[in-house]
Amino acid sequence: MEEKLNKKNHYNMLYSYYQNLLTEKQKEVFENYYFEDYSISEISECLDVSRNAVWDLLKKVEINLDNYEKKLRLHQKNVDRNLQLELLKKYVNDKGLQIIEKIEEME
Amino acid sequence: MEEKLNKKNHYNMLYSYYQNLLTEKQKEVFENYYFEDYSISEISECLDVSRNAVWDLLKKVEINLDNYEKKLRLHQKNVDRNLQLELLKKYVNDKGLQIIEKIEEME
């Protein structure tokens, strides 16, 4: 159960960075499964394709998302940057804090 | 001449963000042309492929790089972030400045 939740969080997070590199079909199936919590059976009925096709597509999207992170490291860079921004907050006044918050909202 | 230089700077810049999404072959030809300043004829002789093939591959890489930027906007985000970091420098002491420089080096 916890593992399933971790996996879900992991791919939701990667999706937020790389969704624009996926096809419309991949996005549709991903969102149905990960955001709307539809089962593979429900998605296959709704889209009128086999359960295997849905399963394969989901696997492919997961592999793609992991590959993009391996190649571009956008999530990891964001984590590293946010750590430094958090540190920086100790050394600024209110005006500086506003700018830091603006930078944090950018990604 | 200036236009050619602008184009060169443009793709060198995009390449710095997205090179890991290209194939080994694409990287090799891109670097020969854009970094080493080899002509299309020289690259085609060196790799023993037609000049058309080199030309097509370069065009494809340029289209890919522009598409990645359109989809992920890593360069534009970096420009926006650096503008804010530059602003922020007015509001920090030496310790804070060090952290900002560390963040700037990250991308």
Side-chain angles (χ1 to χ4, degrees), chain A residues 15-31:
Chain A
Y15 187 78
S16 72
Y17 291 96
Y18 303 111
Q19 59 183 286
N20 287 349
L21 296 180
L22 303 177
T23 66
E24 288 308 311
K25 188 74 164 187
Q26 288 174 330
K27 284 194 265 189
E28 185 183 13
V29 173
F30 182 94
E31 291 185 8

Side-chain angles (χ1 to χ4, degrees), chain B residues 89-100:
Chain B
K89 285 178 182 172
K90 288 188 216 155
Y91 303 97
V92 297
N93 59 14
D94 276 0
K95 181 68 189 152
L97 206 59
Q98 281 175 25
I99 299 176
I100 291 179

